[in-house]
Amino acid sequence: MGAAARALLLLALVAAGAEALSLDVHHRYSATVRGWAGLRTGPAPGTAEYYAALAGHDDLRRRSLSLAAAPAPGGGPFAFADGNDTYRLNAFGFLHYAVVALGTPNVTFLVALDTGSDLFWVPCDCLKCAPLSSPEYGNLKFDVYSPRKSSTSRKVPCSSSLCDLQTECNSAASKSCPYSIEYLSDNTSSNGVLVEDVLYLATESGKSKITQAPITFAVDRSRRVHF
Ligand SMILES: *[C@@H]1O[C@H](CO)[C@@H](O)[C@H](O)[C@H]1NC(C)=O
Ligand SMILES: *[C@@H]1O[C@H](CO)[C@@H](O)[C@H](O)[C@H]1NC(C)=O
Ligand SMILES: *[C@@H]1O[C@H](CO)[C@@H](O)[C@H](O)[C@H]1NC(C)=O
């Protein structure tokens, strides 16, 4: 992320006693935040260097909290195999996007990094999704996921502990777990089924070979235009 990170919210959770939890919200240019990143005399607020220092602070904190992924062969946390750059596209609102590769053979997607929801979904065999190419996308290439075309794709059964909508399965023996999510903004929603497949990761240093991580995600079959 660079200077374009407009909506950066820096939050600190403070546990105050066993029962009370408090949440401090700090402005990204506040003295507190500048202090965290050692920025009192450093780069000017809003510059790429300012955000790089904040990201460095977050990275250190993440490591100290042991929230980072288990050390990868070659050391350090993992990043998406296509790189850890994020993009902000004017055509797609105020979210940041990252490129992820899924399946065998792999297909790539630009996924919105939405901190307000926890479902990872990609378009599947859709007829009316957003266009796969546009001058707005620059050199980015987009795909549609098809479970039938990926040799590593597996259905997630209704009986899976990851299946929240078990009550909506057609029958107990149903082979696919459905999902449904509605977003507050822009009247958008996503519906479909859960699948398991591989996600490609590389060590953040980019030096070790690519790892295939099995993950469960959602494939959207609503065949509607999103965003
Ligand atoms: C992740 O970002 C860092 C800092 O910009 C860079 O040095 C590294 O090569 C990137 N790693 C990958 C896998 O893109
Ligand atoms: C995805 O497949 C292409 C070939 O179609 C290959 O060049 C690329 O390295 C693959 N990406 C990953 C992350 O495996
Ligand atoms: C939102 O969705 C509802 C129901 O599908 C529709 O009636 C309404 O016109 C939509 N609103 C906008 C702003 O698209």
Side-chain angles (χ1 to χ4, degrees):
M1 292 214 269
R6 258 196 214 164
L8 190 70
L9 256 191
L10 294 142
L11 308 175
L13 248 189
V14 181
E19 284 164 24
L21 269 182
S22 72
L23 181 68
D24 291 344
V25 179
H26 297 285
H27 190 274
R28 60 192 157 150
Y29 299 153
S30 68
T32 311
V33 169
R34 290 177 69 83
W36 282 341
L39 281 169
R40 288 212 172 82
T41 56
T47 58
E49 292 74 24
Y50 185 86
Y51 288 111
L54 286 186
H57 168 269
D58 282 356
D59 198 37
L60 280 177
R61 188 159 179 277
R62 200 166 43 124
R63 283 165 207 256
S64 70
L65 292 173
S66 306
L67 289 178
F78 286 108
F80 295 125
D82 284 270
N84 53 18
D85 286 341
T86 60
Y87 305 87
R88 198 171 151 255
L89 303 179
N90 290 338
F92 293 159
F94 293 99
L95 294 169
H96 279 80
Y97 294 80
V99 178
V100 304
L102 292 168
T104 315
N106 74 70
V107 279
T108 53
F109 298 91
L110 192 66
V111 297
L113 304 174
D114 174 13
T115 54
S117 60
D118 62 2
L119 183 79
F120 171 29
W121 65 265
V122 297
C124 165
D125 295 335
C126 56
L127 302 175
K128 285 169 105 183
C129 288
L132 297 181
S133 63
S134 154
E136 303 251 14
Y137 305 165
N139 294 327
L140 298 168
K141 175 178 153 282
F142 299 127
D143 288 308
V144 161
Y145 179 83
S146 174
R148 282 172 290 117
K149 290 186 187 154
S150 171
S151 63
T152 41
S153 180
R154 305 273 175 272
K155 287 174 173 161
V156 172
C158 276
S159 55
S160 164
S161 60
L162 292 174
C163 187
D164 283 347
L165 291 184
Q166 283 178 345
T167 51
E168 292 184 25
C169 290
N170 295 333
S171 72
S174 177
K175 288 214 175 64
S176 293
C177 168
Y179 80 92
S180 179
I181 185 167
E182 291 202 13
Y183 298 100
L184 289 178
S185 61
D186 296 338
N187 221 6
T188 49
S189 64
S190 173
N191 308 282
V193 296
L194 300 185
V195 299
E196 189 188 300
D197 208 332
V198 293
L199 170 74
Y200 294 81
L201 299 172
T203 50
E204 201 165 59
S205 65
K207 284 186 188 134
S208 94
K209 75 179 182 53
I210 286 169
T211 298
Q212 297 183 15
I215 59 156
T216 296
F217 58 98
V219 295
D220 182 84
R221 289 194 166 140
S222 55
R223 295 172 195 223
R224 288 176 32 193
V225 180
H226 299 282
F227 302 111

